[in-house]
Amino acid sequence: MRIAFCCTDVKAGPWLDELRAAVPDAQVEEWQPGAPPADHAIVWAPPQQFLDEQQQLKGIFNIGAGVDALLKLRLPAGARVVRIDDGGMAVQMAEFVCHAVIRHFRELDVYADQVAQGKWGFRTPRRRADFPVGVMGLGVLGARVAQAVAQFDFPVNGWSRLPKELPGVRGYTGAEQFGEFLAATRILVCLLPLTPDTENILNRDTLGKLRPGGYLINVARGAHLVDADLLELLDSGHVAGAALDVFRDEPLPPEHPFWRHSKITVTPHTSARTLREESVAQIVRKIRALERGEPVAGVVDPQRGY
Amino acid sequence: MRIAFCCTDVKAGPWLDELRAAVPDAQVEEWQPGAPPADHAIVWAPPQQFLDEQQQLKGIFNIGAGVDALLKLRLPAGARVVRIDDGGMAVQMAEFVCHAVIRHFRELDVYADQVAQGKWGFRTPRRRADFPVGVMGLGVLGARVAQAVAQFDFPVNGWSRLPKELPGVRGYTGAEQFGEFLAATRILVCLLPLTPDTENILNRDTLGKLRPGGYLINVARGAHLVDADLLELLDSGHVAGAALDVFRDEPLPPEHPFWRHSKITVTPHTSARTLREESVAQIVRKIRALERGEPVAGVVDPQRGY
């Protein structure tokens, strides 16, 4: 068995070492143009040439939760695209989102500003019933995030394409319940896959439906958000603030107004990083299963887009 | 039945309104010197005169988790001191501590500094196995905190006077296992009651036993910590930082070095505030139980000190 590694902007050495140790019966090589055909590939932002040459691929493993960029390429006909369905990312996402929710709800930035000025003073405690959290997307990451937030006794709403039952989470389904979901939500967390249906889904109209004083946490893709619409709603005060980890162009261009906006917290796409150790173990398990003809989780439906 | 309200630095009006609505058969009054004897009292930092005059008290309800200040006073012989055993505080403590743990573990302050300078850059992800969290004190607050932290897959240690089993928490008991608990801990959370046994428990010796790069979160009482010892360990680098919500003197005096120390995050004793609504409901339930001669939770043992 041959496994090709073709990841842009990823240091190959440690991945190759760990993959070779985990699958000693396979030849694991970093792809070069003209390399012999591989059975499986581990990819991140591969060039089109790689996919054109490697027509025998059975499994293409994307080291990251989002496959939107990959699906824009022409793929070998027989290949299944498989997402890392956790790889240590779900817990990171849960902690990153909980941190942002708590920081906003408890006004910890306000306290930090006061303390920087040497001021000792209290804010009137807010009622958590006034801060329902709504999670868009209830896949592996969204489900874990919703339940982590619920543990802090916030009312939690979840919105998904298909009905999904999670303890402590009030479910809303499909386009017809989207408005109702937004109206019941004050802190909105986006964890959707990026597809033609979800691009620009965070816009003037949808964010305008949130409860007054809404807060946006976007940890999915920058293209979910219409930047200008968020800025307008922050100016009007309908949206109180945002924690943005992803951007339409990354790195976020130096001149972009998000960098220094007083109501926006920027982080450099770091909410959930692919952890090599967990990912290698998971990819190897899935390669073995595919080789045995067994089903694996995380196979992407190209029509659906995730 | 008479209920006296005697709370320093607390606006009495809303408490009296809610108590009267909840116990319509009682006379609920803010205490004045010479007032008729009450059956129960709701107190926060009451003057000694109040306790000297009110010798008939059966229940003294302290609106806060710590009774260290109250127990320094002479109390009426027949009165039981009852703590608010939650009053909405446990969830606040859980979120405050989780926020501090995540902020430190994920280096979110470092990212905030980078972003303030317009820098886009990644930190190497840390392994959560290298950041075991240890919770000192496993009462109502400590137990909730330990379990909230455990949900983010950190190794969690708990230290308590008596053995206590909590799912996902490795328990250490008493003085004989204290050193072992500290040596197994990197992020130390103090949620102990303040008693003669626990005063100054966070000192050069104990903090020095933490794993290198330790981090202290003190949300209990300022007198648990020997301030100079922490500063020394921060200078030596053995302790990497601290989140301090409580101080020996509050408000923290303007000249105190904690205010502007780059490795210390100060908050003004705001980790868990007593929420009126929850507290009134709980106090009323307990008054009814005491009146019926039933046992109630949270009765303080004056010898033990909590």
Side-chain angles (χ1 to χ4, degrees):
Chain A
M1 178 167 59
R2 275 182 188 277
I3 299 175
F5 184 84
C6 182
C7 296
T8 306
D9 290 338
V10 175
K11 221 197 287 174
W15 282 88
L16 295 174
D17 291 347
E18 291 181 24
L19 284 161
R20 284 170 185 150
V23 210
D25 52 317
Q27 280 185 278
V28 184
E29 299 294 345
E30 188 170 14
W31 177 75
Q32 305 293 339
D39 303 282
H40 300 281
I42 290 136
V43 306
W44 182 249
Q48 181 64 53
Q49 186 190 353
F50 167 76
L51 299 163
D52 288 345
E53 284 190 12
Q54 294 286 324
Q55 289 294 322
Q56 277 94 326
L57 285 175
K58 289 177 270 185
I60 299 177
F61 296 86
N62 189 64
I63 57 168
V67 291
D68 42 290
L70 185 60
L71 294 187
K72 289 190 178 136
L73 302 173
R74 278 187 315 279
L75 300 170
R80 270 178 283 194
V81 172
V82 186
R83 292 185 293 156
I84 303 286
D85 36 35
D86 185 337
M89 276 185 284
V91 64
Q92 294 178 70
M93 218 37 123
E95 66 188 2
F96 189 92
V97 170
C98 285
H99 178 273
V101 167
I102 296 167
R103 193 188 61 218
H104 177 64
F105 173 63
R106 295 291 298 271
E107 302 188 273
L108 293 169
D109 282 350
V110 178
Y111 279 111
D113 286 348
Q114 283 188 5
V115 166
Q117 297 164 41
K119 270 199 230 161
W120 179 278
F122 303 116
R123 311 277 302 170
T124 304
R126 295 163 152 190
R127 293 160 47 96
R128 65 194 69 228
D130 294 335
F131 285 80
V133 177
V135 179
M136 301 167 76
L138 297 175
V140 174
L141 304 183
R144 174 117 187 205
V145 166
Q147 292 186 277
V149 171
Q151 133 177 287
F152 296 111
D153 299 350
F154 290 95
V156 178
N157 306 312
W159 182 65
S160 51
R161 201 173 55 93
L162 299 173
K164 184 125 187 191
E165 293 216 1
L166 293 170
V169 178
R170 181 164 177 186
Y172 296 82
T173 309
E176 60 285 2
Q177 295 189 337
F178 189 38
E180 204 187 327
F181 163 80
L182 292 167
T185 292
R186 182 149 172 193
I187 300 181
L188 183 67
V189 181
C190 181
L191 272 160
L192 292 171
L194 181 62
T195 70
D197 283 344
T198 66
E199 191 168 347
N200 300 324
I201 196 169
L202 304 168
N203 56 46
R204 182 184 298 124
D205 176 48
T206 55
L207 297 176
K209 289 197 174 103
L210 292 177
R211 288 202 187 186
Y215 191 81
L216 173 65
I217 300 172
N218 190 13
V219 283
R221 283 285 182 268
H224 285 125
L225 173 66
V226 180
D227 296 1
D229 289 5
L230 173 63
L231 291 169
E232 194 183 301
L233 286 161
L234 288 169
D235 282 346
S236 79
H238 184 75
V239 173
L244 305 178
D245 187 52
V246 289
F247 305 93
R248 213 163 266 271
D249 297 309
E250 294 182 4
L252 184 63
E255 68 282 5
H256 199 290
F258 287 172
W259 274 111
R260 293 186 172 276
H261 197 292
S262 65
K263 296 178 180 172
I264 297 179
T265 303
V266 166
T267 44
H269 203 145
T270 190
S271 55
R273 308 272 291 278
T274 301
L275 301 180
R276 197 172 53 238
E277 214 171 309
E278 279 93 331
S279 301
V280 165
Q282 193 182 113
I283 289 169
V284 169
R285 273 198 308 276
K286 290 187 178 187
I287 287 178
R288 299 281 190 212
L290 285 181
E291 288 288 318
R292 287 192 301 264
E294 295 169 5
V296 299
V299 173
V300 170
D301 174 349
Q303 292 309 313
R304 200 180 59 172
Y306 64 94
Chain B
M1 178 168 59
R2 273 182 189 277
I3 299 175
F5 185 86
C6 182
C7 296
T8 306
D9 290 335
V10 176
K11 220 197 288 174
W15 282 87
L16 296 174
D17 291 347
E18 291 181 24
L19 283 160
R20 284 169 186 149
V23 209
D25 51 318
Q27 279 185 277
V28 184
E29 299 293 347
E30 187 169 14
W31 176 75
Q32 304 293 340
D39 303 281
H40 299 281
I42 289 136
V43 306
W44 181 249
Q48 182 63 54
Q49 186 189 354
F50 167 76
L51 298 162
D52 288 345
E53 284 191 12
Q54 294 285 324
Q55 289 294 323
Q56 277 96 327
L57 284 176
K58 290 177 271 185
I60 300 177
F61 295 85
N62 188 64
I63 57 168
V67 292
D68 41 289
L70 185 60
L71 293 187
K72 290 189 178 135
L73 303 172
R74 278 187 315 279
L75 300 171
R80 270 179 283 193
V81 173
V82 186
R83 291 186 292 156
I84 303 286
D85 35 35
D86 184 338
M89 275 184 285
V91 64
Q92 293 177 73
M93 220 34 124
E95 65 188 3
F96 190 91
V97 170
C98 285
H99 178 274
V101 168
I102 296 167
R103 193 189 59 217
H104 177 64
F105 172 63
R106 295 291 298 271
E107 302 189 272
L108 294 169
D109 283 349
V110 179
Y111 279 111
D113 286 348
Q114 283 189 5
V115 166
Q117 297 164 42
K119 270 199 232 161
W120 179 278
F122 304 115
R123 312 277 301 169
T124 304
R126 295 163 152 190
R127 294 160 48 94
R128 67 194 66 227
D130 294 334
F131 285 81
V133 177
V135 180
M136 301 168 77
L138 296 175
V140 174
L141 304 184
R144 174 119 189 202
V145 165
Q147 292 187 274
V149 172
Q151 139 180 281
F152 295 112
D153 299 349
F154 290 95
V156 179
N157 306 313
W159 182 64
S160 51
R161 200 174 55 92
L162 299 173
K164 184 127 187 190
E165 292 216 2
L166 292 170
V169 179
R170 180 162 178 188
Y172 296 81
T173 309
E176 60 285 1
Q177 295 189 335
F178 189 37
E180 204 186 328
F181 163 81
L182 292 168
T185 291
R186 182 149 173 194
I187 300 181
L188 183 66
V189 181
C190 181
L191 272 160
L192 292 170
L194 181 63
T195 71
D197 284 342
T198 67
E199 192 167 348
N200 300 325
I201 196 168
L202 304 169
N203 56 46
R204 182 183 299 125
D205 176 47
T206 55
L207 297 176
K209 290 200 174 100
L210 293 177
R211 289 203 186 184
Y215 191 82
L216 172 65
I217 299 173
N218 190 13
V219 283
R221 283 285 183 269
H224 285 124
L225 173 66
V226 181
D227 297 0
D229 289 4
L230 174 63
L231 291 170
E232 194 182 300
L233 287 160
L234 288 170
D235 282 347
S236 80
H238 184 76
V239 173
L244 305 178
D245 187 53
V246 290
F247 306 93
R248 215 162 263 273
D249 296 310
E250 295 182 4
L252 184 63
E255 68 283 4
H256 200 290
F258 287 172
W259 273 113
R260 293 185 172 275
H261 197 292
S262 65
K263 295 178 181 174
I264 296 179
T265 302
V266 166
T267 44
H269 203 148
T270 190
S271 55
R273 307 273 291 280
T274 301
L275 300 180
R276 197 171 54 238
E277 215 171 309
E278 278 93 332
S279 301
V280 165
Q282 191 181 116
I283 290 169
V284 169
R285 273 198 307 276
K286 291 187 177 187
I287 287 179
R288 300 281 190 211
L290 285 181
E291 287 288 318
R292 287 192 301 264
E294 295 168 5
V296 298
V299 173
V300 169
D301 173 350
Q303 290 311 310
R304 199 181 59 172
Y306 64 96

